[in-house]
Every structure is written in C-alpha cells, then in structure tokens.
Coordinates of all heavy atoms in Angstrom, one line a residue:
A170 N 71.9 111.7 37.6 CA 73.2 112.2 37.7 C 73.7 112.3 39.1 O 74.9 112.1 39.4 CB 73.2 113.6 37.0
G171 N 72.8 112.6 40.0 CA 73.2 112.7 41.4 C 73.6 111.4 42.0 O 74.5 111.2 42.8
I172 N 72.9 110.3 41.6 CA 73.2 109.0 42.0 C 74.6 108.6 41.5 O 75.4 108.0 42.2 CB 72.1 107.9 41.6 CG1 70.8 108.2 42.4 CG2 72.6 106.5 41.9 CD1 69.7 107.4 41.9
A173 N 74.8 108.8 40.2 CA 76.1 108.5 39.6 C 77.3 109.3 40.3 O 78.3 108.7 40.6 CB 76.1 108.8 38.1
E174 N 77.0 110.5 40.7 CA 78.0 111.3 41.4 C 78.4 110.7 42.7 O 79.6 110.5 43.0 CB 77.5 112.7 41.6 CG 78.4 113.6 42.5 CD 77.7 114.9 42.9 OE1 76.6 115.2 42.5 OE2 78.4 115.6 43.7
W175 N 77.4 110.2 43.5 CA 77.7 109.6 44.8 C 78.3 108.2 44.7 O 79.0 107.8 45.6 CB 76.4 109.6 45.7 CG 76.2 111.0 46.3 CD1 75.3 111.9 46.0 CD2 77.1 111.5 47.3 NE1 75.5 113.0 46.8 CE2 76.6 112.8 47.6 CE3 78.2 111.1 48.0 CZ2 77.2 113.6 48.6 CZ3 78.7 111.9 49.0 CH2 78.2 113.1 49.3
L176 N 78.0 107.5 43.6 CA 78.6 106.2 43.4 C 80.1 106.4 43.3 O 80.9 105.5 43.7 CB 78.1 105.5 42.1 CG 76.7 104.9 42.2 CD1 76.2 104.4 40.9 CD2 76.7 103.8 43.3
V177 N 80.6 107.5 42.8 CA 82.0 107.8 42.7 C 82.5 108.5 43.9 O 83.6 108.1 44.5 CB 82.3 108.7 41.4 CG1 83.7 109.1 41.4 CG2 81.9 108.0 40.2
A178 N 81.7 109.4 44.4 CA 82.2 110.3 45.6 C 82.2 109.6 46.9 O 83.0 109.8 47.8 CB 81.4 111.5 45.6
L179 N 81.2 108.7 47.1 CA 81.1 108.1 48.5 C 82.3 107.3 48.9 O 82.7 107.4 50.1 CB 79.8 107.2 48.6 CG 79.4 106.8 50.0 CD1 79.2 108.0 50.9 CD2 78.1 106.0 50.0
P180 N 82.9 106.4 48.1 CA 84.1 105.7 48.5 C 85.2 106.7 48.9 O 85.9 106.5 49.9 CB 84.5 104.9 47.3 CG 83.2 104.7 46.6 CD 82.4 106.0 46.7
L181 N 85.4 107.8 48.1 CA 86.4 108.8 48.5 C 86.0 109.5 49.8 O 86.9 109.7 50.6 CB 86.5 109.8 47.3 CG 86.9 109.2 46.0 CD1 86.9 110.2 44.9 CD2 88.3 108.5 46.0
D182 N 84.8 109.8 50.0 CA 84.3 110.4 51.2 C 84.5 109.5 52.4 O 84.9 110.0 53.5 CB 82.9 110.8 51.1 CG 82.4 111.8 52.2 OD1 83.0 112.8 52.3 OD2 81.5 111.4 52.9
T183 N 84.3 108.2 52.2 CA 84.5 107.2 53.3 C 85.9 107.2 53.7 O 86.2 107.2 54.9 CB 84.0 105.8 52.8 OG1 82.6 105.9 52.5 CG2 84.2 104.8 53.9
I184 N 86.8 107.2 52.7 CA 88.2 107.1 53.0 C 88.7 108.4 53.7 O 89.4 108.4 54.7 CB 89.0 106.9 51.7 CG1 88.8 105.5 51.1 CG2 90.5 107.2 51.9 CD1 89.3 105.3 49.7
K185 N 88.2 109.6 53.2 CA 88.5 110.9 53.9 C 88.1 110.9 55.3 O 88.8 111.3 56.2 CB 87.8 112.0 53.1 CG 88.0 113.4 53.8 CD 87.0 114.4 53.2 CE 85.6 114.0 53.5 NZ 84.9 114.6 54.5
T186 N 86.9 110.4 55.6 CA 86.3 110.4 56.9 C 87.2 109.5 57.8 O 87.4 109.9 59.0 CB 84.9 109.9 56.9 OG1 84.1 110.7 56.1 CG2 84.3 109.9 58.3
R187 N 87.6 108.4 57.3 CA 88.5 107.5 58.1 C 89.8 108.2 58.5 O 90.3 108.1 59.6 CB 88.8 106.2 57.4 CG 87.7 105.3 57.1 CD 87.6 104.3 58.3 NE 86.4 103.5 58.1 CZ 86.5 102.2 57.9 NH1 87.6 101.5 57.9 NH2 85.3 101.5 57.8
I188 N 90.4 108.9 57.6 CA 91.6 109.6 57.8 C 91.4 110.7 58.9 O 92.1 110.9 59.8 CB 92.2 110.2 56.5 CG1 92.7 109.0 55.6 CG2 93.4 111.1 56.8 CD1 93.0 109.4 54.2
Q189 N 90.3 111.5 58.7 CA 90.0 112.6 59.6 C 89.7 112.1 61.0 O 89.9 112.8 62.0 CB 88.8 113.4 59.1 CG 89.1 114.3 57.9 CD 87.9 115.0 57.3 OE1 86.7 114.5 57.5 NE2 88.1 116.1 56.6
A190 N 89.1 110.9 61.1 CA 88.7 110.3 62.4 C 90.0 109.7 63.1 O 89.9 109.2 64.2 CB 87.6 109.3 62.3
G191 N 91.1 109.7 62.4 CA 92.3 109.1 63.0 C 92.3 107.6 62.9 O 93.2 107.0 63.6
K192 N 91.5 107.0 62.1 CA 91.5 105.5 62.0 C 92.4 105.0 60.9 O 92.6 103.8 60.7 CB 90.1 105.0 61.6 CG 89.1 105.3 62.8 CD 87.7 104.8 62.4 CE 86.8 105.0 63.6 NZ 85.4 104.5 63.3
A193 N 93.0 106.0 60.1 CA 94.0 105.6 59.1 C 94.9 106.9 58.9 O 94.5 108.0 59.2 CB 93.3 105.3 57.8
E194 N 96.1 106.6 58.5 CA 97.1 107.7 58.3 C 97.2 108.1 56.8 O 97.8 109.2 56.5 CB 98.4 107.3 58.9 CG 98.4 107.2 60.4 CD 99.7 106.9 61.0 OE1 100.7 107.2 60.3 OE2 99.8 106.5 62.1
S195 N 96.8 107.3 55.9 CA 97.0 107.6 54.5 C 95.7 107.1 53.7 O 95.0 106.3 54.2 CB 98.2 106.9 53.9 OG 98.0 105.5 53.9
F196 N 95.6 107.7 52.5 CA 94.5 107.3 51.6 C 94.6 105.8 51.3 O 93.7 105.0 51.4 CB 94.7 108.1 50.3 CG 93.5 107.9 49.4 CD1 92.4 108.6 49.4 CD2 93.6 106.9 48.4 CE1 91.4 108.4 48.5 CE2 92.6 106.7 47.5 CZ 91.5 107.4 47.5
R197 N 95.8 105.3 51.0 CA 96.0 103.9 50.6 C 95.8 103.0 51.8 O 95.1 102.0 51.7 CB 97.4 103.7 50.1 CG 97.7 102.3 49.6 CD 99.0 102.2 49.0 NE 99.0 102.9 47.7 CZ 99.9 102.9 46.8 NH1 101.0 102.2 47.0 NH2 99.8 103.5 45.6
G198 N 96.2 103.4 53.0 CA 96.0 102.6 54.2 C 94.5 102.5 54.5 O 94.1 101.4 54.9
A199 N 93.8 103.6 54.4 CA 92.4 103.6 54.7 C 91.6 102.7 53.7 O 90.8 101.9 54.1 CB 91.8 105.0 54.7
A200 N 92.0 102.8 52.4 CA 91.3 102.0 51.4 C 91.6 100.5 51.6 O 90.7 99.7 51.5 CB 91.8 102.5 50.0
A201 N 92.8 100.2 51.9 CA 93.2 98.8 52.2 C 92.5 98.2 53.4 O 92.0 97.1 53.4 CB 94.7 98.7 52.3
D202 N 92.4 99.0 54.4 CA 91.7 98.6 55.7 C 90.2 98.3 55.4 O 89.7 97.3 55.8 CB 91.9 99.6 56.8 CG 91.3 99.1 58.1 OD1 91.7 98.0 58.5 OD2 90.5 99.9 58.6
I203 N 89.6 99.2 54.7 CA 88.2 99.0 54.4 C 88.0 97.8 53.5 O 87.1 97.0 53.8 CB 87.6 100.3 53.6 CG1 87.6 101.5 54.6 CG2 86.2 100.0 53.1 CD1 87.3 102.8 53.9
M204 N 88.8 97.6 52.5 CA 88.7 96.5 51.6 C 88.9 95.1 52.4 O 88.2 94.2 52.2 CB 89.7 96.6 50.5 CG 89.5 95.5 49.4 SD 87.8 95.6 48.7 CE 88.2 96.3 47.1
R205 N 89.9 95.1 53.3 CA 90.3 93.9 54.0 C 89.1 93.6 55.0 O 88.8 92.4 55.1 CB 91.6 94.1 54.7 CG 92.1 92.9 55.5 CD 93.4 93.1 56.2 NE 93.4 94.2 57.2 CZ 94.0 95.4 57.0 NH1 94.7 95.6 55.8 NH2 94.0 96.3 57.9
R206 N 88.6 94.6 55.7 CA 87.6 94.3 56.7 C 86.2 94.1 56.2 O 85.4 93.3 56.7 CB 87.6 95.4 57.8 CG 88.9 95.5 58.6 CD 88.8 96.7 59.5 NE 90.0 97.0 60.1 CZ 90.2 96.8 61.4 NH1 89.2 96.5 62.2 NH2 91.4 97.1 62.0
Q207 N 85.8 94.9 55.2 CA 84.4 94.9 54.8 C 84.2 94.6 53.3 O 83.1 94.5 52.9 CB 83.8 96.3 55.1 CG 83.9 96.6 56.6 CD 83.5 98.1 56.8 OE1 84.0 98.9 56.1 NE2 82.8 98.3 57.9
G208 N 85.2 94.6 52.5 CA 85.1 94.4 51.1 C 84.6 95.6 50.4 O 84.5 96.7 51.0
V209 N 84.2 95.5 49.2 CA 83.7 96.7 48.4 C 82.5 97.3 49.0 O 82.4 98.6 49.0 CB 83.4 96.2 46.9 CG1 82.8 97.4 46.2 CG2 84.6 95.7 46.2
T210 N 81.7 96.6 49.7 CA 80.5 97.2 50.3 C 80.8 98.1 51.4 O 80.0 99.0 51.7 CB 79.5 96.1 50.8 OG1 80.2 95.3 51.8 CG2 79.0 95.2 49.7
G211 N 82.0 98.0 52.0 CA 82.4 98.9 53.1 C 82.6 100.3 52.6 O 82.4 101.3 53.3
F212 N 82.9 100.5 51.3 CA 83.0 101.9 50.7 C 81.6 102.5 50.6 O 81.6 103.7 50.4 CB 83.7 101.8 49.4 CG 85.1 101.4 49.5 CD1 85.5 100.1 49.2 CD2 86.1 102.3 49.9 CE1 86.9 99.8 49.2 CE2 87.4 102.0 50.0 CZ 87.8 100.7 49.6
Y213 N 80.6 101.7 50.6 CA 79.2 102.3 50.3 C 78.3 102.2 51.6 O 77.1 102.3 51.4 CB 78.6 101.5 49.2 CG 79.3 101.9 47.9 CD1 80.3 101.0 47.4 CD2 79.0 103.0 47.2 CE1 81.0 101.3 46.2 CE2 79.7 103.3 46.0 CZ 80.7 102.5 45.6 OH 81.4 102.8 44.4
R214 N 78.9 102.0 52.8 CA 78.0 102.1 54.0 C 77.4 103.4 54.1 O 78.0 104.4 53.9 CB 78.9 101.8 55.2 CG 79.3 100.3 55.3 CD 80.0 100.1 56.6 NE 79.0 100.3 57.7 CZ 79.4 100.5 59.0 NH1 80.7 100.5 59.3 NH2 78.5 100.7 59.9
G215 N 76.1 103.4 54.3 CA 75.4 104.7 54.5 C 74.8 105.2 53.1 O 74.3 106.3 53.1
F216 N 75.0 104.4 52.1 CA 74.5 104.9 50.7 C 73.1 105.3 50.7 O 72.7 106.2 50.1 CB 74.9 103.8 49.7 CG 74.6 104.3 48.3 CD1 75.4 105.2 47.7 CD2 73.5 103.8 47.6 CE1 75.2 105.6 46.4 CE2 73.2 104.2 46.3 CZ 74.1 105.1 45.7
G217 N 72.2 104.5 51.4 CA 70.8 104.7 51.4 C 70.5 106.1 52.1 O 69.7 106.9 51.6
W218 N 71.2 106.4 53.2 CA 71.0 107.7 53.8 C 71.5 108.8 52.9 O 70.9 109.9 52.9 CB 71.8 107.8 55.1 CG 71.2 106.8 56.2 CD1 71.7 105.7 56.6 CD2 69.9 107.0 56.8 NE1 70.9 105.1 57.5 CE2 69.8 105.8 57.7 CE3 68.9 107.9 56.8 CZ2 68.7 105.6 58.5 CZ3 67.8 107.7 57.6 CH2 67.7 106.6 58.4
V219 N 72.6 108.6 52.2 CA 73.1 109.7 51.3 C 72.0 109.9 50.2 O 71.8 111.1 49.9 CB 74.4 109.2 50.7 CG1 74.8 110.1 49.6 CG2 75.5 109.2 51.8
M220 N 71.4 108.8 49.7 CA 70.4 109.0 48.6 C 69.2 109.7 49.1 O 68.6 110.5 48.4 CB 70.1 107.7 48.0 CG 71.1 107.1 47.1 SD 71.6 108.1 45.7 CE 73.0 109.0 46.3
M221 N 68.8 109.4 50.4 CA 67.6 110.1 51.0 C 67.8 111.6 51.0 O 66.9 112.4 51.0 CB 67.4 109.5 52.4 CG 66.8 108.1 52.3 SD 66.5 107.4 54.0 CE 65.4 108.6 54.7
R222 N 69.1 112.0 51.1 CA 69.4 113.5 51.1 C 69.6 114.0 49.7 O 69.2 115.1 49.4 CB 70.6 113.8 52.0 CG 70.9 115.2 52.1 CD 72.3 115.5 52.8 NE 73.4 114.9 52.2 CZ 74.1 115.4 51.2 NH1 73.7 116.6 50.7 NH2 75.1 114.8 50.7
A223 N 70.3 113.2 48.9 CA 70.8 113.6 47.6 C 69.6 113.8 46.6 O 69.6 114.7 45.8 CB 71.8 112.7 47.1
I224 N 68.7 112.8 46.6 CA 67.6 112.9 45.6 C 66.8 114.2 45.8 O 66.6 114.9 44.8 CB 66.8 111.6 45.7 CG1 67.6 110.4 45.2 CG2 65.5 111.7 44.9 CD1 67.0 109.1 45.4
P225 N 66.3 114.5 46.9 CA 65.6 115.8 47.0 C 66.5 117.0 46.7 O 66.0 118.0 46.1 CB 65.1 115.9 48.5 CG 65.2 114.5 49.0 CD 66.3 113.8 48.2
A226 N 67.7 117.0 47.1 CA 68.6 118.1 46.9 C 68.9 118.3 45.4 O 68.8 119.4 44.9 CB 69.9 117.9 47.6
N227 N 69.1 117.2 44.7 CA 69.4 117.3 43.3 C 68.1 117.6 42.5 O 68.1 118.4 41.5 CB 69.9 115.9 42.7 CG 71.4 115.7 43.1 OD1 72.1 116.7 43.2 ND2 71.7 114.5 43.5
G228 N 66.9 117.2 43.0 CA 65.7 117.6 42.4 C 65.4 119.0 42.5 O 65.0 119.7 41.6
K229 N 65.8 119.6 43.7 CA 65.6 121.0 43.9 C 66.5 121.8 43.0 O 66.1 122.8 42.5 CB 66.0 121.3 45.4 CG 65.7 122.6 45.9 CD 66.0 122.6 47.4 CE 66.1 123.9 48.0 NZ 66.4 123.9 49.4
A230 N 67.7 121.3 42.8 CA 68.7 122.0 41.9 C 68.2 122.0 40.5 O 68.2 123.0 39.8 CB 70.1 121.4 42.0
W231 N 67.6 120.9 40.0 CA 67.1 120.8 38.7 C 65.9 121.7 38.5 O 65.7 122.3 37.4 CB 66.8 119.4 38.3 CG 68.0 118.7 37.8 CD1 68.7 117.7 38.4 CD2 68.7 119.0 36.6 NE1 69.8 117.4 37.7 CE2 69.8 118.1 36.5 CE3 68.5 119.8 35.5 CZ2 70.8 118.1 35.5 CZ3 69.5 119.8 34.4 CH2 70.5 119.0 34.4
A232 N 65.1 121.8 39.5 CA 63.9 122.7 39.5 C 64.4 124.2 39.3 O 63.8 124.9 38.6 CB 63.1 122.6 40.7
R233 N 65.5 124.5 40.0 CA 66.0 125.9 39.9 C 66.5 126.1 38.5 O 66.2 127.2 37.9 CB 67.2 126.1 40.8 CG 66.8 126.2 42.3 CD 68.1 126.3 43.1 NE 67.7 126.1 44.5 CZ 68.6 125.7 45.4 NH1 69.9 125.6 45.1 NH2 68.3 125.5 46.6
V234 N 67.2 125.1 37.9 CA 67.7 125.3 36.5 C 66.5 125.5 35.6 O 66.6 126.3 34.7 CB 68.5 124.1 36.1 CG1 68.8 124.0 34.6 CG2 69.8 124.0 36.9
G235 N 65.5 124.7 35.7 CA 64.3 124.8 34.9 C 63.7 126.1 35.0 O 63.3 126.7 34.0
T236 N 63.5 126.6 36.2 CA 62.9 128.0 36.4 C 63.8 129.1 35.7 O 63.2 129.9 35.0 CB 62.8 128.3 37.9 OG1 62.0 127.3 38.5 CG2 62.2 129.6 38.2
L237 N 65.1 129.0 35.9 CA 65.9 130.0 35.3 C 65.9 129.9 33.8 O 65.9 131.0 33.1 CB 67.4 129.9 35.9 CG 67.5 130.2 37.3 CD1 68.9 130.0 37.8 CD2 67.1 131.7 37.6
H238 N 65.8 128.7 33.2 CA 65.7 128.6 31.8 C 64.4 129.2 31.3 O 64.4 129.9 30.2 CB 65.9 127.2 31.3 CG 67.3 126.7 31.3 ND1 68.2 127.1 30.3 CD2 67.9 125.8 32.1 CE1 69.3 126.5 30.5 NE2 69.2 125.7 31.6
S239 N 63.3 129.0 32.0 CA 62.0 129.5 31.5 C 62.0 131.0 31.6 O 61.5 131.7 30.7 CB 60.9 128.8 32.3 OG 60.9 129.2 33.6
V240 N 62.6 131.5 32.7 CA 62.6 133.0 32.8 C 63.5 133.6 31.8 O 63.2 134.6 31.1 CB 63.1 133.4 34.2 CG1 63.4 134.9 34.3 CG2 62.1 133.0 35.3
R241 N 64.6 133.0 31.5 CA 65.6 133.5 30.5 C 65.0 133.5 29.1 O 65.2 134.4 28.3 CB 66.8 132.6 30.5 CG 67.9 133.2 29.7 CD 69.2 132.4 29.9 NE 70.0 132.4 28.7 CZ 70.7 131.4 28.3 NH1 70.8 130.3 29.0 NH2 71.3 131.5 27.1
S242 N 64.2 132.5 28.8 CA 63.6 132.4 27.5 C 62.5 133.5 27.2 O 62.3 133.8 26.1 CB 63.0 131.0 27.3 OG 61.8 130.8 28.1
C243 N 62.0 134.1 28.3 CA 61.0 135.1 28.0 C 61.7 136.5 27.9 O 61.0 137.5 27.8 CB 60.0 135.1 29.1 SG 60.5 135.9 30.7
G244 N 63.0 136.6 28.0 CA 63.7 137.8 27.8 C 63.8 138.6 29.1 O 64.0 139.8 29.1
C245 N 63.5 138.0 30.2 CA 63.5 138.6 31.5 C 64.8 138.3 32.2 O 65.6 137.6 31.8 CB 62.3 138.1 32.4 SG 60.7 138.2 31.5
F246 N 64.9 138.9 33.4 CA 66.1 138.5 34.2 C 65.6 138.4 35.7 O 64.5 138.9 36.0 CB 67.2 139.6 34.1 CG 67.0 140.9 34.8 CD1 67.4 141.1 36.0 CD2 66.2 141.9 34.1 CE1 67.2 142.4 36.6 CE2 66.0 143.1 34.7 CZ 66.5 143.3 36.0
V247 N 66.3 137.7 36.5 CA 65.9 137.4 37.8 C 67.0 137.9 38.8 O 68.2 137.7 38.5 CB 65.8 135.9 38.0 CG1 65.4 135.5 39.4 CG2 64.7 135.4 37.1
T248 N 66.6 138.5 39.9 CA 67.5 138.9 41.0 C 67.3 137.8 42.0 O 66.2 137.6 42.5 CB 67.1 140.3 41.5 OG1 67.2 141.2 40.4 CG2 68.1 140.7 42.6
V249 N 68.4 137.2 42.4 CA 68.3 136.1 43.4 C 69.3 136.3 44.5 O 70.4 136.8 44.3 CB 68.7 134.8 42.7 CG1 68.7 133.6 43.7 CG2 67.7 134.5 41.5
A250 N 68.9 136.0 45.7 CA 69.9 136.0 46.8 C 69.8 134.5 47.4 O 68.8 133.9 47.5 CB 69.4 136.9 47.9
T251 N 71.0 134.0 47.7 CA 71.1 132.7 48.2 C 71.7 132.6 49.5 O 72.3 133.6 50.0 CB 71.9 131.7 47.2 OG1 73.2 132.3 47.2 CG2 71.3 131.7 45.9
S252 N 71.5 131.5 50.2 CA 72.1 131.4 51.6 C 72.5 130.0 51.8 O 71.7 129.1 51.5 CB 71.1 131.8 52.6 OG 71.5 131.4 53.9
K253 N 73.7 129.7 52.3 CA 74.1 128.3 52.6 C 73.3 127.8 53.8 O 73.0 126.6 53.9 CB 75.6 128.3 52.9 CG 76.4 128.4 51.7 CD 77.9 128.1 52.0 CE 78.7 128.2 50.8 NZ 80.1 127.9 51.0
A254 N 72.9 128.7 54.7 CA 72.1 128.3 55.8 C 70.8 127.7 55.5 O 70.3 126.8 56.1 CB 71.9 129.5 56.8
T255 N 70.1 128.2 54.4 CA 68.8 127.7 54.0 C 68.9 126.8 52.8 O 68.0 126.3 52.3 CB 67.9 128.8 53.7 OG1 68.4 129.6 52.6 CG2 67.6 129.7 54.9
D256 N 70.2 126.6 52.3 CA 70.4 125.8 51.1 C 69.5 126.2 50.0 O 68.9 125.3 49.4 CB 70.3 124.3 51.5 CG 70.7 123.4 50.3 OD1 71.6 123.8 49.6 OD2 70.1 122.4 50.1
G257 N 69.4 127.4 49.7 CA 68.6 127.8 48.5 C 68.3 129.3 48.5 O 68.9 130.1 49.0
F258 N 67.2 129.5 47.7 CA 66.7 130.9 47.5 C 66.2 131.5 48.8 O 65.5 130.9 49.5 CB 65.6 130.9 46.5 CG 66.0 130.5 45.1 CD1 65.4 129.6 44.4 CD2 67.1 131.2 44.5 CE1 65.8 129.2 43.1 CE2 67.5 130.9 43.2 CZ 66.8 129.8 42.5
L259 N 66.6 132.8 49.0 CA 66.0 133.6 50.0 C 64.9 134.4 49.4 O 63.8 134.5 49.9 CB 67.0 134.5 50.7 CG 68.0 133.8 51.6 CD1 69.0 134.9 52.1 CD2 67.3 133.1 52.8
F260 N 65.2 134.9 48.2 CA 64.1 135.6 47.5 C 64.5 135.6 46.0 O 65.6 135.4 45.6 CB 63.9 137.1 48.0 CG 65.1 138.0 47.8 CD1 65.3 138.6 46.5 CD2 66.1 138.1 48.7 CE1 66.4 139.5 46.3 CE2 67.2 138.9 48.5 CZ 67.3 139.6 47.3
S261 N 63.5 135.9 45.2 CA 63.7 135.9 43.8 C 62.7 137.0 43.2 O 61.6 137.0 43.6 CB 63.4 134.6 43.1 OG 63.5 134.6 41.7
Q262 N 63.2 137.8 42.4 CA 62.4 138.9 41.8 C 62.5 138.7 40.3 O 63.5 138.7 39.7 CB 62.8 140.3 42.2 CG 62.7 140.5 43.7 CD 63.3 141.9 44.1 OE1 64.1 142.5 43.3 NE2 63.0 142.3 45.2
H263 N 61.3 138.6 39.7 CA 61.2 138.4 38.2 C 61.0 139.8 37.6 O 60.0 140.4 37.9 CB 60.0 137.5 37.9 CG 60.0 137.0 36.5 ND1 59.5 135.8 36.2 CD2 60.2 137.6 35.4 CE1 59.5 135.6 34.9 NE2 60.0 136.7 34.4
H264 N 61.8 140.3 36.8 CA 61.7 141.6 36.2 C 61.5 141.5 34.7 O 62.1 140.6 34.0 CB 63.0 142.4 36.3 CG 63.5 142.5 37.8 ND1 62.9 143.4 38.6 CD2 64.4 141.8 38.5 CE1 63.5 143.3 39.8 NE2 64.4 142.3 39.8
H265 N 60.6 142.3 34.2 CA 60.3 142.3 32.7 C 60.9 143.5 32.0 O 60.3 144.1 31.1 CB 58.7 142.3 32.5 CG 58.1 141.0 32.9 ND1 58.1 140.0 32.0 CD2 57.4 140.7 34.0 CE1 57.5 139.0 32.6 NE2 57.1 139.3 33.8
S266 N 62.1 143.9 32.4 CA 62.8 145.0 31.8 C 64.2 144.5 31.7 O 64.6 143.5 32.1 CB 62.6 146.2 32.6 OG 63.2 146.1 33.9
S267 N 65.0 145.4 31.1 CA 66.4 145.1 31.0 C 67.1 145.1 32.3 O 66.8 145.8 33.2 CB 67.1 146.2 30.1 OG 66.5 146.2 28.8
P268 N 68.1 144.2 32.4 CA 68.9 144.2 33.7 C 69.6 145.5 33.9 O 69.9 146.2 32.9 CB 69.8 143.0 33.5 CG 69.9 142.8 32.1 CD 68.6 143.3 31.5
P269 N 70.0 145.9 35.1 CA 70.8 147.1 35.3 C 72.1 147.0 34.6 O 72.7 145.9 34.4 CB 71.0 147.2 36.8 CG 70.7 145.8 37.3 CD 69.8 145.1 36.3
P270 N 72.7 148.1 34.1 CA 74.0 148.1 33.4 C 75.1 147.6 34.4 O 75.0 147.8 35.6 CB 74.2 149.5 33.0 CG 73.3 150.3 33.9 CD 72.2 149.4 34.3
A271 N 76.1 147.0 33.8 CA 77.2 146.5 34.6 C 78.0 147.7 35.1 O 78.1 148.7 34.5 CB 78.1 145.6 33.7
P272 N 78.6 147.6 36.3 CA 79.4 148.7 36.8 C 80.6 149.0 36.0 O 81.2 148.1 35.3 CB 79.8 148.2 38.2 CG 79.5 146.7 38.3 CD 78.5 146.4 37.2
A273 N 81.0 150.2 35.9 CA 82.1 150.6 35.1 C 83.4 150.0 35.8 O 83.5 149.9 37.0 CB 82.2 152.1 35.1
P274 N 84.4 149.7 34.9 CA 85.6 149.1 35.5 C 86.4 150.1 36.3 O 86.4 151.2 36.3 CB 86.4 148.6 34.3 CG 85.7 149.2 33.1 CD 84.4 149.7 33.5

C-alpha cells in the first residue's frame, strides 16, 4: 500500500518541490517542464530513496495497527503518547481494566 501511495504522490511532490524552489510558477508549467526535459521518469527521480524510507515507516505503522488490534481483542485498552519528533510511541501502557470514563460535557 505504501508503494502504491508513493507511485501517485511522488510526481505531485516533485511538481510541488519545483514550484517551491522557484523553478516553475504553476503546476502545469512544472509538469510540462519535467515531461519535456526528462520524460515520465523525471517525475520519479529519487523513488529508490523514498522507498528506503517508506518501507520501514509503513511496516512500523502496520505493526502498531496489529498491536492495537490484539490488545483490543483481549478487552483491554492502551494509553499511548506519541511524538512527531520520535515518529512514534513514547510510551504505551496496557491496562486490564475498564478505561476511565469520558469527561462530562
């Protein structure tokens, strides 16, 4: 799924980067310039590097999903804190009791 996502997203990201770098003024202009100079492969420059990052990141995300499903199936709940700086869990506590009640409105 991660590879399919980047097959669609990378050309758009390449165009966005060209516009941000000031190498093009519009989406259409950037796309036309890439196609004229490099062909279709120009939209996928750096794809190998993207996959080197995406495969472990997507694997990590699926591992989280699997863990949460297994915890949920035992009738437990998990307290989780996340951080963008560490790209993942800071801590996780597995509780074998009911979750705390929701705050009153």
Side-chain angles (χ1 to χ4, degrees):
I172 293 172
E174 174 189 355
W175 278 108
L176 284 173
V177 173
L179 190 59
L181 300 173
D182 191 59
T183 301
I184 293 168
K185 173 196 65 102
T186 301
R187 292 269 176 118
I188 294 169
Q189 289 175 334
K192 294 181 179 181
E194 293 185 16
S195 69
F196 184 91
R197 185 175 287 189
D202 185 53
I203 293 168
M204 186 62 104
R205 182 177 60 253
R206 292 174 189 248
Q207 301 167 319
V209 174
T210 58
F212 292 102
Y213 292 97
R214 284 186 64 198
F216 185 74
W218 293 108
V219 169
M220 287 299 98
M221 287 176 61
R222 182 187 62 83
I224 291 171
N227 287 321
K229 189 173 164 183
W231 277 108
R233 290 179 194 158
V234 168
T236 299
L237 292 175
H238 279 291
S239 66
V240 168
R241 188 172 149 216
S242 68
C243 78
C245 306
F246 72 98
V247 176
T248 303
V249 177
T251 61
S252 167
K253 285 187 177 184
T255 60
D256 187 34
F258 292 126
L259 290 177
F260 66 86
S261 174
Q262 298 173 344
H263 189 146
H264 304 279
H265 288 282
S266 61
S267 299

